[in-house]
Amino acid sequence: MTVAVVVCLITTSCASIFTSSSKKVTLKGVPGTTVLDKDKNRLVAEIGQNGFAEAKIKKQLKNKTLEAKHEGYAPKTYVMGTKLQGWFFGNLVLGGIPGMAIDVATGKMMTYKDNFIDLTLTPLQTEEYAIEPVIVSQQRVQREDPGATDLEKTIIRWYFDSDPRGARIFYRVISSVPAEVKNTNESYLTTTPYEETRGFNIPGLTYENAQDVTIEIKISKRGYADQVKRFNVRQALDQQEISSFFELVEN
């Protein structure tokens, strides 16, 4: 009789002995991703730096929805499907109706189909986080109307050197759109080496017409052949620099 009572007590609580109330699941995703039990709005796990996490998901009779979130990424939901727990029928043999009732009441009669869930998120569209573009004036100007655009005063790095040093540097503006930017005469700058941060000071210059404007640099030194190089102003603006090295050749 005593043995029968002990067996009865064991078998009627077999749900807690043979069946766990939760299931361990491996999660994969972007490091730092938080995974929530969406139904209960409760944190389940956080993806580690190795891209994985283990979570114990409490069982229930219906499917469970997980939600993965990470700043800069589109959130993702995943529905964990359920299936009947194999040990549920064991209760019929060992514990009968009382054991089965416990499993039904606690949700232990079901388990989740998934052992591994990939919750890798997709980055949001670039434009949502893009830096605001620099809007460059496209205003059409006339050369008689200097000061109409900011690009006239754009500051960039100028650097010129030569071997041997001490060569004189001359520059001039060559324009294929003379109605907007006029050509200039040759002007003396200084001698090599020369390095300075300064503006173009080209009246009427815009980013649009800069591709049609050239800076001509001439290097001159007594006893050596003059050398000339030309630099496109649009390219100089993009690179924020106009520079070159001249290897002088004796006459």
Side-chain angles (χ1 to χ4, degrees):
M1 179 68 179
T2 302
V3 175
V5 172
V6 172
V7 171
C8 181
L9 289 173
I10 294 176
T11 55
T12 54
S13 61
C14 67
S16 61
I17 295 176
F18 297 108
T19 308
S20 172
S21 62
S22 61
K23 179 173 181 177
K24 185 180 291 186
V25 179
T26 299
L27 306 175
K28 175 186 176 183
V30 178
T33 298
T34 55
V35 183
L36 304 173
D37 179 337
K38 192 172 182 180
D39 302 323
K40 298 182 179 180
N41 194 28
R42 183 171 59 193
L43 180 67
V44 170
E46 182 173 330
I47 304 298
Q49 291 303 311
N50 63 351
F52 295 92
E54 285 193 348
K56 288 186 177 181
I57 311 296
K58 188 173 179 60
K59 296 175 182 176
Q60 59 187 34
L61 296 178
K62 62 179 182 179
N63 296 340
K64 180 178 290 294
T65 302
L66 300 180
E67 182 175 33
K69 293 182 177 181
H70 193 298
E71 185 178 357
Y73 294 81
K76 180 178 183 178
T77 58
Y78 184 89
V79 178
M80 298 180 65
T82 58
K83 63 180 180 180
L84 193 63
Q85 181 77 275
W87 273 109
F88 177 71
F89 294 105
N91 282 325
L92 181 62
V93 177
L94 299 176
I97 300 301
M100 296 176 72
I102 292 173
D103 277 356
V104 172
T106 60
K108 294 181 182 180
M109 66 177 288
M110 306 299 289
T111 188
Y112 298 110
K113 299 177 181 179
D114 304 286
N115 295 310
F116 178 89
I117 302 175
D118 188 344
L119 293 174
T120 303
L121 302 179
T122 303
L124 290 170
Q125 294 296 319
T126 305
E127 54 266 22
E128 292 189 39
Y129 289 89
I131 299 174
E132 290 294 327
V134 177
I135 300 176
V136 182
S137 174
Q138 300 296 321
Q139 178 185 1
R140 307 300 292 186
V141 297
Q142 301 296 321
R143 69 183 188 183
E144 290 80 14
D145 184 25
T149 69
D150 289 337
L151 281 183
E152 296 173 358
K153 304 173 183 179
T154 299
I155 304 298
I156 66 171
R157 175 178 178 261
W158 294 59
Y159 176 76
F160 300 105
D161 201 355
S162 66
D163 183 23
R165 289 180 165 181
R168 305 180 72 190
I169 306 173
F170 299 86
Y171 82 98
R172 67 177 178 135
V173 175
I174 301 175
S175 171
S176 59
V177 284
E180 299 173 28
V181 178
K182 66 179 180 179
N183 296 295
T184 66
N185 295 323
E186 188 175 270
S187 300
Y188 173 68
L189 191 60
T190 184
T191 58
T192 59
Y194 168 66
E195 182 174 14
E196 185 180 7
T197 300
R198 63 189 297 271
F200 277 125
N201 295 322
I202 302 177
L205 182 69
T206 67
Y207 190 74
E208 182 180 23
N209 65 30
Q211 63 186 347
D212 300 313
V213 181
T214 300
I215 295 281
E216 182 184 88
I217 300 295
K218 185 177 78 172
I219 299 293
S220 179
K221 185 176 178 65
R222 182 177 298 177
Y224 295 85
D226 291 349
Q227 290 193 25
V228 174
K229 292 185 180 181
R230 292 179 177 177
F231 304 87
N232 181 265
V233 173
R234 169 77 73 85
Q235 184 176 2
L237 288 169
D238 291 339
Q239 297 177 349
Q240 291 293 292
E241 180 177 276
I242 178 171
S243 61
S244 186
F245 181 84
F246 294 81
E247 190 78 36
L248 301 182
V249 179
E250 294 185 22
N251 286 327

